[in-house]
Amino acid sequence: MTAEQSGPVVRTPHGAVRGRYEDGVAVFRGIPYAAPPVGRLRFRPPEPPEPWDGLRDAGSFGPTAPKPPYSEAFAQYLSDPDIPGDDCLNLNVWTPEPGPGARLPVLLWLHGGALTRGSSAVPVYDGRAFARDGVVCVSANYRLGLEGYGLFPDAPPNPGLRDQLAALRWVHRAIAAFGGDPDRITLCGQSAGAISAGILLAAPQSQGLVRRAVLQSGAPEVSTRDKVRRMVRRVATRLKIPATAEAFAGVDPGLLLRTQAEVGRLSSPVLGGPAFGVVVDGDLVPGDPLKAIVDGEAARGVDLLMGWTRDEYRLWLVPGGLVERVDRLGAVALAGAMARCHVGHEVPRGYRALHPDAGTAEIVGQMVTDHLLRVPLHRLADARPGTSYLYEFAWPSRLPALGSCHALELGFVFDSGDIPESAKLAGDGAPQELCDAMHGAWVRFATVGDPGWQPWDVTHPVRVFDDGPPHTAYGPRDAELALWSAAPRVPAPPPPVEPRAPGAELAAAMRRLRRSVGARRR
């Protein structure tokens, strides 16, 4: 039997695994890095898996974390395989040289999906191109939704984030046996995965484990405990149970996911609404992670690659025709955006002056994108002492109205733009030259810490990936960002209980906007 037929064998800290050779790359799928989060471990921090004897087959993706499916409007653009089973805390490894001694750079991928969806089995995240180009690629599952980010009086917070830390520790301990260098780990994520990666950079328990990090369309941030509690209470109210981990553990899993999806229906990065998030817990997340990275000792010496897509908001608004609906809402939508971004009238007036032909949806979408992504990432690059590189992905999808939307860059980063799952978002004919350029930049960054353009400085260099050859622009969108620097911040209004509470008008506008959009989604 040849090596190609038998498959590569590697010994992990918990037992030996047999992978597969695919196109000259050794692939190991479904390796457990923690015990199944069921029974006494449900809603609890992860624990090591039970060691196994003999040879464990690692030819197929392991179970994915419990999650509701995407709505029909989003499923036409995004793929999200659902693999049943309890052993969902697993990861996958692609390596060109499975064995100690190679000391290759490592990239650990954390998927996005608003902490409620997504998995490492999404075909777009296939790591073969990274391995082909000399980088050991690892992708991990973690708990989602109520299981991973619910806040309960009888269970520790942030188990999903603790899963990610456990995966990072596993990689640091085990990756040398797969040909990786534990001293050259690049932590990489997109959207919720990028937010998680940024938070882990600030965590005391992860210091020294990460050499570089990539934050794609996500900045380190935490949710308020009250916001996450409200999400949990809304689900509990619909199920007619106490808002405790013990009570939720007794609910049928299918019913729980359906109810969670219904409650989260009005949630959106643009519109706000009920959502799960990482909270300050005094342990893994002792405080504001952005402040810890900028002002403290966290992530010292860690190089950063950070960026966004030009039209992030279009993935959040185009499905279901929401761009047109927000345009019709006009002043109500602008008032909701001001509440979402905690700013006064001067910011949307400034955007109107800079983009006189833009519709309300574009103004609202760009405002919220700047609030969530561009402003905090610029501030992070400005303030931290380490080396940072910024990019903007501006190539427009071949599909109508999507533009350079959220998640569009993923097929280019993984050089998987030619598969059907990438075409669901990009359309047919994604240019291979752009795949080569973007994927190549990520490979260079993981390998030597330099993606191929000027690091961030007072000239604000941003690498732009668009229709032509990639180029460096200096200060793109600086006019918009200047509006945020000059504008006074308006405190976020509390959950309104009195009709004349401070900020109630804007909060009410936001609720009207979410209700209107929610009606359209149904």
Side-chain angles (χ1 to χ4, degrees), residues 302-389:
V302 175
D303 301 323
L304 292 183
L305 172 59
M306 308 179 288
W308 52 83
T309 70
R310 185 187 61 195
D311 306 313
E312 299 270 4
Y313 69 95
R314 288 189 171 271
L315 183 63
W316 306 323
L317 292 183
V318 166
L322 300 184
V323 169
E324 295 80 4
R325 194 165 187 83
V326 172
D327 279 339
R328 289 197 299 270
L329 287 168
V332 171
L334 284 174
M338 287 188 290
R340 180 81 174 94
C341 300
H342 318 313
V343 296
H345 292 277
E346 64 280 353
V347 171
R349 278 200 297 263
Y351 277 75
R352 285 288 191 200
L354 290 167
H355 305 283
D357 298 326
T360 299
E362 182 176 350
I363 297 296
V364 166
Q366 294 292 7
M367 275 180 59
V368 175
T369 298
D370 285 346
H371 167 66
L372 294 176
L373 297 176
R374 295 189 186 100
V375 171
L377 291 179
H378 273 74
R379 288 176 177 165
L380 179 55
D382 276 334
R384 71 182 300 267
T387 304
S388 300
Y389 298 87

Side-chain angles (χ1 to χ4, degrees), residues 415-485:
D415 193 10
S416 58
D418 58 347
I419 66 173
E421 289 80 5
S422 287
K424 288 177 69 173
L425 198 58
D428 295 326
Q432 184 59 46
E433 297 84 359
L434 187 55
C435 285
D436 294 341
M438 201 164 193
H439 173 72
W442 265 238
V443 169
R444 286 192 298 273
F445 182 73
T447 302
V448 298
D450 182 351
W453 63 88
Q454 181 181 341
W456 187 257
D457 60 19
V458 294
T459 65
H460 289 191
V462 176
R463 193 67 160 178
V464 179
F465 296 90
D466 55 16
D467 269 321
H471 60 281
T472 301
Y474 292 85
R477 302 190 62 82
D478 272 7
E480 284 93 335
L481 297 171
L483 294 170
W484 297 87
S485 299

Side-chain angles (χ1 to χ4, degrees), residues 8-18 28 31 51-55 98-100 170 173-178:
V9 174
V10 170
R11 178 161 292 279
T12 79
H14 305 104
V17 292
R18 185 191 299 279
F28 302 81
I31 304 172
W52 59 87
D53 296 322
L55 203 55
W170 185 98
R173 180 183 177 190
I175 205 62
F178 292 85

Side-chain angles (χ1 to χ4, degrees), residues 88-308:
C88 63
L89 300 185
N90 59 72
L91 49 74
N92 319 294
V93 181
W94 290 261
T95 176
E97 195 171 337
R103 306 292 288 186
L104 296 170
V106 180
L107 185 144
L108 171 56
W109 174 253
L110 300 179
H111 67 81
L115 301 179
T116 58
R117 295 176 173 87
S119 78
S120 65
V122 172
V124 178
Y125 307 152
D126 190 291
R128 271 180 285 184
F130 278 107
R132 174 199 68 199
D133 295 330
V135 176
V136 178
C137 183
V138 184
S139 61
N141 290 332
Y142 55 92
R143 279 173 284 181
L144 303 168
L146 279 159
E147 303 270 355
Y149 298 92
L151 191 56
F152 307 102
D154 54 340
N158 301 324
L161 187 71
R162 296 175 190 276
D163 295 341
Q164 295 168 352
L165 176 63
L168 174 59
R169 285 173 163 167
W170 185 98
V171 170
H172 195 266
R173 180 183 177 190
I175 205 62
F178 292 85
D181 184 347
D183 294 325
R184 286 198 290 166
I185 296 174
T186 297
L187 184 60
C188 182
Q190 186 265 347
S191 193
I195 294 170
S196 301
I199 295 172
L200 286 175
L201 287 180
Q205 295 88 334
S206 69
Q207 300 310 297
L209 300 182
V210 177
R211 179 65 186 86
R212 302 180 181 100
V214 183
L215 309 183
Q216 298 175 217
S217 300
E221 65 175 9
V222 290
S223 296
T224 66
R225 297 175 76 89
D226 283 345
K227 180 178 181 179
V228 178
R229 281 196 187 101
R230 287 199 299 273
M231 180 66 167
V232 173
R233 287 168 181 162
R234 290 182 188 192
V235 177
T237 298
R238 293 202 177 204
L239 293 172
K240 298 182 172 61
I241 61 172
T244 64
E246 181 182 10
F248 275 109
V251 177
D252 174 77
L255 175 61
L256 182 59
L257 289 177
R258 290 192 298 273
T259 308
Q260 176 185 301
E262 179 63 21
V263 170
R265 180 176 51 83
L266 300 184
S267 177
S268 160
V270 173
L271 307 177
F276 293 107
V278 175
V279 298
V280 172
D281 58 21
D283 173 28
L284 185 57
V285 191
D288 179 359
L290 186 60
K291 182 176 176 60
I293 296 172
V294 169
D295 298 335
E297 294 297 318
R300 292 280 177 172
V302 175
D303 301 323
L304 292 183
L305 172 59
M306 308 179 288
W308 52 83

